[in-house]
Amino acid sequence: MPILEKEAEARKAPPQKAADSFTRGGDARALRNRSWVLLTVMLNTVYLYWRIRYTLPLEYGTISIIAGVALLAVEVLGALESLVHYFNMHRIENHPVPDVPPELFPEVDVFIATYAEPEELLYKTVNGCKYMEYPDPAKVHIYLCDDGNRSEIRRLAREMGIRYIGRSDNTGAKAGNLNNALARTSAPLIVTLDADMIPQRTFLMHCVPYFVDAELKNKTRSEKDKIRMGFVQTPQSFYNPDLFQFFLYSENRIPNEQDYFYKDIQVSRNRSNSVIYDGSNTVLSRAAIEDIGGFYQGAITEDFATGILLQKKKYTCYAINEVLASGLSPTDLPGLIQQRIRWARGCIQTGRKLHILSTPKLTMGQKANYWASIWYWFGPVKRLIYIMSPILFAVFGFMVIKCTLPEVLIFWLPMYLSSNVTLRMLSQGIRSTKWTNVYETVLFPFLFFPVLAESLGFSLKKFQVTRKDGGRDGVRDALYAVPFALFIGLSVLGIFNCVAMIFRSGSIAPIAVLFWLSVNLFNLVMSLFFVLGRGYLRMNERVEAEVDCLLSIGAFRDLSCVTKDFSETGIAVRLSGPIDIDDKEEAEILLKTEHYTARLKARAVHIGPIPGGWKCSFFITDYGQSKGEYMQMLYDRVPCLPTTLHKSHSIFDDLRLNLVRRTRAVLYQNRRHARVSLDVSVPSDLGRTVHIDNFDYKYLATDTRNLPPEFSLQLREGLTLRCAFERNLPGGKKLYAVTNYDALHNDERASARLSQWLEWAMKQGTPTAEAPAARPRYAELEDCLLGVGPADREKSDA
């Protein structure tokens, strides 16, 4: 049969375009969306007027005044940040890929920036670059830009047929590395890629046309009207679950935490030409970079600063939301904290050094967007104020907001509900207020002091590379949990005091503070779950995709099947029924997609039933000549992680999921033969039948009593099983080994007859195949994207 790839639905879909909340779905939806935005802005304005005019506790002492003013200040600045976002989202400017003549595609230099990343990680990125499509592949020049000046990376570049650029010092960190490569190359376009970001084969074909199109249009334009392209930025996507998805058991429930920024916020900034250059997955104009003096070396976020300098020079910068490259999200908490500290300090540092608010070279729209980008990193300060404000009242007795319950219901509640609806609507289901609060709460204790230090001018000068070696440290420091435990204790005490106040006074007025404390408590508990972490069980990420393949092992030659998932080290195939696979035998697996072909050797590590069939997992023992194409099968695709919030995302669901998954006992199984539950009695040499309860080719279990240590079963004429007692099983059953298994397995005719008998036996009685035990509602959520390794063990819940 033809071997064709059955790609996931996301792969079949047409190229992604920027999501326009205000045009998608016709005029009715556009009107609805604009109405919600206008309503939210009006309600926020009314709320802030009320807060400023009537609620400051000026007569309640110094602490109350300071706390009240601080809370009001972060609310006002937060509202301004939201206003900027609403303005951007009001009319999104989409830039579809232009249709340009292929012969006009210019030469391109691809810079892969590396410092200390491992060779295997770089191999995948270089491999992806080599498979990028281009009208004239000779025009694409790939460079490994190694700031570590390592001999093994030089060798890797030579073996893979690309160019190597090293340097003996690390002046300017990543920006210095890129500038060094810039000085030694000459192509008019430059691609910058982080060491872990693997481009899809269509990356260049979907980015370069913007530059070619600008050149074509410029031929008929005056000098002042010419389009001066700076860069085209594509999303930073990730093929592994980020820590929020993984640590909170939500791989199938929430998108990557950064999706909202890359797929919504970035694209919305096209309108004001304030798209942020993110350092990777980007195509830039060499002339533009040289015009600003190279990549900016004066800040630890060189990409953020470089983009601002380009826009100061009036270069046009586009963001598209089509995923064209994917990499590794941090895989441990220290790595995540280190990354976010660098981003926070770098953005604040850049804003101060480039004078974004006072410079005349940026428009008001650009200034507003970059101010919002910098203000975002003061989230730790905002979050501390939001957490402490109700605690100050409920625990320590300080007034923070002077108001009554009816006023809260009139002024605050409509604004709160409207803001929630608008955020969910504008983000196309990517983000909600609840998850924004969780993300900010998780990080605020670790960013608070670095943000304050940077704001006061104590800059971080040393560039720290985020760990990208795929490390999976399951050990977590209990100290990370201390601040959350402290605030949880204070919040619980505040809730108790509010309930006591309600009973003592007979008034429900404190219920507003009670609600505030409860929301904060949820965020803090989720943060505690997060820092408690979760252990990694597999070595590699798993891609869920169906690819038709041919399996050859033992007596089975060119058996047609389909993959269920696969990883760098293993493949799981879906079978219609159980087959006799000896785990000592080496299998050959042929996979072929529209673009790639891979012939691999592998050994079976697990076989078991799944809904609708059976799954057999293999550990890859030899890639042969197919490693490059097999890696492309894995990574030349949009990751299979969710892109929108799951419908089951209530607070109750979040808490129950984490409590159940963290307390449930797990039984690990490592079945390497297909165990089938049967209800069949067969003749024996004992002169009576023996009832078979389950069978896996090498062993059978029976509940027939008074059997001798050895006997034979006559399954059908010419097909005999010789059985020897192995051990007693629970429930009065006994396990017998099939002592003539090797003879049956190695005899192609006998093996086929045994399979035919088993197919018949499965149809007898009530039981068929040994189905997995009923699993708790959320048991399947752990299954997404966990790779298959040589010690891979399938799990079933105890």
Side-chain angles (χ1 to χ4, degrees):
M1 63 176 288
I3 306 174
L4 300 174
E5 182 177 22
K6 298 176 180 176
E7 291 282 62
E9 287 304 313
R11 192 68 173 157
K12 294 178 181 177
Q16 297 169 319
K17 294 183 179 179
D20 189 341
S21 304
F22 300 100
T23 59
R24 183 179 297 176
D27 293 339
R29 178 173 294 185
L31 179 61
R32 182 203 67 182
N33 293 342
R34 288 193 179 98
S35 299
W36 270 106
V37 169
L38 181 60
L39 175 64
T40 301
V41 172
M42 291 174 57
L43 291 174
N44 270 273
T45 302
V46 171
Y47 170 75
L48 290 177
Y49 174 79
W50 169 70
R51 283 281 286 117
I52 295 169
R53 180 70 177 81
Y54 298 104
T55 65
L56 285 176
L58 301 179
E59 63 271 33
Y60 288 88
T62 303
I63 293 179
S64 290
I65 293 174
I66 293 173
V69 170
L71 177 60
L72 178 59
V74 297
E75 284 188 278
V76 171
L77 292 172
L80 291 175
E81 182 186 5
S82 298
L83 184 62
V84 171
H85 182 52
Y86 294 152
F87 177 80
N88 288 339
M89 297 296 291
H90 180 70
R91 189 179 74 249
I92 293 178
E93 292 186 358
N94 295 320
H95 297 288
V97 180
D99 186 12
V100 296
E103 62 271 15
L104 297 183
F105 279 54
E107 297 204 15
V108 179
D109 289 331
V110 180
F111 295 164
I112 304 170
T114 179
Y115 174 63
E117 293 82 6
E119 184 177 340
E120 187 58 33
L121 187 74
L122 288 167
Y123 169 86
K124 294 181 288 188
T125 301
V126 173
N127 187 65
C129 291
K130 291 183 65 177
Y131 279 97
M132 288 191 297
E133 296 171 347
Y134 210 65
D136 182 358
K139 290 184 177 180
V140 180
H141 316 291
I142 306 169
Y143 297 88
L144 257 179
C145 306
D146 181 20
D147 234 9
N149 205 31
R150 294 165 289 171
S151 59
E152 65 271 22
I153 305 304
R154 186 187 299 272
R155 187 196 71 249
L156 174 67
R158 183 174 61 252
E159 291 175 350
M160 298 194 73
I162 66 167
R163 307 177 190 188
Y164 176 88
I165 299 177
R167 60 178 187 151
S168 55
D169 65 80
N170 305 121
T171 304
K174 181 182 176 181
N177 189 10
L178 294 175
N179 284 331
N180 180 55
L182 191 71
R184 299 169 65 176
T185 55
S186 59
L189 295 183
I190 297 166
V191 176
T192 56
L193 291 170
D194 284 345
D196 62 304
M197 284 290 170
I198 307 170
Q200 295 177 20
R201 69 178 187 282
T202 57
F203 180 87
L204 293 177
M205 298 303 293
H206 285 213
C207 293
V208 172
Y210 293 98
F211 296 88
V212 178
D213 183 62
E215 290 299 316
L216 290 174
K217 290 177 179 176
N218 286 342
K219 291 180 179 180
T220 59
R221 296 189 178 201
S222 63
E223 191 64 33
K224 66 181 182 65
D225 293 328
K226 285 185 177 180
I227 304 171
R228 305 171 70 215
M229 285 298 298
F231 62 80
V232 173
Q233 179 68 57
T234 73
Q236 289 198 23
S237 177
F238 304 95
Y239 55 79
N240 66 317
D242 73 7
L243 290 185
F244 295 98
Q245 294 170 307
F246 186 73
F247 282 177
L248 297 177
Y249 293 90
S250 294
E251 302 98 311
N252 281 3
R253 302 176 68 243
I254 62 174
N256 186 286
E257 176 245 354
Q258 295 185 55
D259 277 1
Y260 180 48
F261 172 74
Y262 284 112
K263 295 180 180 180
D264 258 352
I265 293 177
Q266 277 280 65
V267 177
S268 74
R269 295 169 75 128
N270 282 332
R271 183 181 179 189
S272 57
N273 193 33
S274 57
V275 173
I276 294 173
Y277 168 45
D278 292 315
S280 185
N281 306 3
T282 318
V283 181
L284 305 100
S285 163
R286 176 183 293 271
I289 292 295
E290 290 178 344
D291 188 26
I292 62 171
F295 294 91
Y296 186 72
Q297 295 186 195
I300 57 175
T301 48
E302 80 298 325
D303 42 12
F304 184 66
T306 298
I308 295 175
L309 291 176
L310 287 171
Q311 287 151 18
K312 277 187 174 184
K313 288 270 192 172
K314 309 305 178 187
Y315 283 98
T316 299
C317 305
Y318 289 161
I320 58 178
N321 73 348
E322 181 182 0
V323 173
L324 295 171
S326 299
L328 267 176
S329 181
T331 54
D332 60 8
L333 183 54
L336 177 69
I337 293 172
Q338 173 188 299
Q339 179 193 69
R340 300 309 166 88
I341 288 176
R342 180 169 64 84
W343 289 357
R345 301 191 72 153
C347 287
I348 296 170
Q349 183 185 100
T350 298
R352 184 172 62 249
K353 289 187 174 184
L354 299 188
H355 312 290
I356 62 167
L357 293 181
S358 60
T359 178
K361 296 181 180 180
L362 293 176
T363 67
M364 286 303 297
Q366 289 172 322
K367 290 179 181 180
N369 275 286
Y370 280 115
W371 169 84
S373 298
I374 294 170
W375 172 247
Y376 168 82
W377 290 109
F378 286 87
V381 178
K382 294 184 289 184
R383 190 53 46 188
L384 178 62
I385 292 172
Y386 287 144
I387 291 173
M388 281 302 302
S389 292
I391 290 174
L392 284 174
F393 172 79
V395 176
F396 300 105
F398 294 105
M399 184 69 70
V400 179
I401 302 176
K402 183 180 66 175
C403 63
T404 63
L405 181 60
E407 288 175 328
V408 171
L409 298 178
I410 293 171
F411 294 104
W412 173 81
L413 185 60
M415 179 276 300
Y416 176 77
L417 296 175
S418 176
S419 297
N420 287 348
V421 171
T422 303
L423 176 59
R424 184 74 182 268
M425 183 176 60
L426 292 180
S427 71
Q428 296 293 318
I430 295 177
R431 180 63 67 87
S432 67
T433 302
K434 179 191 74 175
W435 281 106
T436 296
N437 292 338
V438 170
Y439 298 147
E440 291 184 357
T441 304
V442 164
L443 291 170
F444 95 88
F446 315 113
L447 298 185
F448 182 82
F449 291 107
V451 165
L452 282 185
E454 194 64 48
S455 301
L456 296 174
F458 299 99
S459 293
L460 180 67
K461 296 181 174 59
K462 185 177 179 181
F463 183 98
Q464 291 182 300
V465 178
T466 304
R467 182 178 180 179
K468 289 291 183 69
D469 59 359
R472 296 167 177 270
D473 184 6
V475 180
R476 283 156 291 279
D477 193 334
L479 289 176
Y480 288 125
V482 170
F484 301 111
L486 173 63
F487 285 116
I488 286 172
L490 289 172
S491 297
V492 170
L493 179 57
I495 290 172
F496 176 82
N497 288 344
C498 281
V499 172
M501 277 186 246
I502 292 172
F503 280 102
R504 281 199 307 267
S505 65
S507 168
I508 62 170
I511 198 169
V513 179
L514 183 63
F515 174 79
W516 192 352
L517 286 165
S518 299
V519 171
N520 285 345
L521 180 62
F522 166 77
N523 297 331
L524 290 164
V525 169
M526 291 294 287
S527 300
L528 182 63
F529 284 146
F530 179 90
V531 296
L532 291 177
R534 171 185 172 191
Y536 289 95
L537 299 176
R538 295 179 174 94
M539 299 186 308
N540 302 107
E541 304 307 327
R542 188 174 70 188
V543 173
E544 294 185 342
E546 294 184 349
V547 177
D548 285 345
C549 58
L550 295 180
L551 171 65
S552 297
I553 184 170
F556 300 97
R557 312 308 301 174
D558 294 336
L559 178 66
S560 295
C561 50
V562 64
T563 63
K564 183 179 183 295
D565 50 67
F566 47 108
S567 73
E568 291 181 19
T569 53
I571 300 176
V573 300
R574 184 188 297 272
L575 303 170
S576 59
I579 62 173
D580 180 16
I581 294 180
D582 190 340
D583 59 305
K584 296 184 177 65
E585 294 177 326
E586 197 164 52
E588 288 188 2
I589 303 175
L590 173 65
L591 301 98
K592 188 172 184 180
T593 71
E594 181 182 355
H595 301 282
Y596 309 110
T597 301
R599 189 181 296 273
L600 314 168
K601 293 183 179 179
R603 291 187 184 277
V605 293
H606 182 271
I607 185 168
I610 56 175
W614 288 71
K615 183 183 80 168
C616 186
S617 300
F618 292 91
F619 170 63
I620 299 172
T621 57
D622 187 4
Y623 295 103
Q625 302 299 313
S626 303
K627 183 175 181 179
E629 298 211 24
Y630 180 70
M631 290 298 169
Q632 285 301 100
M633 287 184 185
L634 278 171
Y635 297 118
D636 184 16
R637 62 179 65 244
V638 177
C640 63
L641 289 160
T643 56
T644 58
L645 293 168
H646 192 271
K647 61 182 179 181
S648 172
H649 68 96
S650 69
I651 289 175
F652 175 73
D653 288 325
D654 297 327
L655 294 174
R656 183 171 66 172
L657 171 63
N658 275 273
L659 288 171
V660 168
R661 298 304 296 274
R662 292 172 190 278
T663 58
R664 185 180 59 213
V666 177
L667 173 66
Y668 295 92
Q669 298 177 342
N670 193 21
R671 292 178 180 163
R672 302 197 178 192
H673 293 272
R675 179 180 297 179
V676 183
S677 290
L678 300 176
D679 183 13
V680 62
S681 296
V682 297
S684 70
D685 62 353
L686 304 175
R688 58 192 174 105
T689 60
V690 173
H691 180 262
I692 300 179
D693 185 73
N694 65 65
F695 174 72
D696 75 350
Y697 297 94
K698 281 193 170 184
Y699 296 91
L700 63 84
T702 177
D703 54 6
T704 302
R705 300 185 181 278
N706 302 319
L707 292 175
E710 295 184 359
F711 59 88
S712 295
L713 296 177
Q714 192 70 32
L715 302 185
R716 56 175 55 181
E717 187 175 351
L719 185 61
T720 301
L721 296 185
R722 298 191 182 93
C723 306
F725 176 76
E726 189 77 14
R727 67 175 183 273
N728 291 316
L729 299 175
K733 299 177 183 179
K734 296 180 182 295
L735 182 70
Y736 283 80
V738 178
T739 58
N740 62 331
Y741 167 78
D742 289 338
L744 293 173
H745 179 76
N746 295 325
D747 185 328
E748 186 171 336
R749 184 179 177 187
S751 180
R753 293 186 56 142
L754 182 57
S755 295
Q756 292 170 1
W757 174 84
L758 184 58
E759 184 178 354
W760 168 85
M762 289 170 60
K763 297 176 181 177
Q764 311 304 306
T766 303
T768 54
E770 181 187 352
R775 309 180 78 195
R777 179 178 179 186
Y778 293 106
E780 73 277 11
L781 298 180
E782 190 176 7
D783 293 341
C784 182
L785 299 177
L786 296 176
V788 178
D792 179 45
R793 294 172 297 184
E794 198 69 20
K795 299 181 305 178
S796 68
D797 303 305

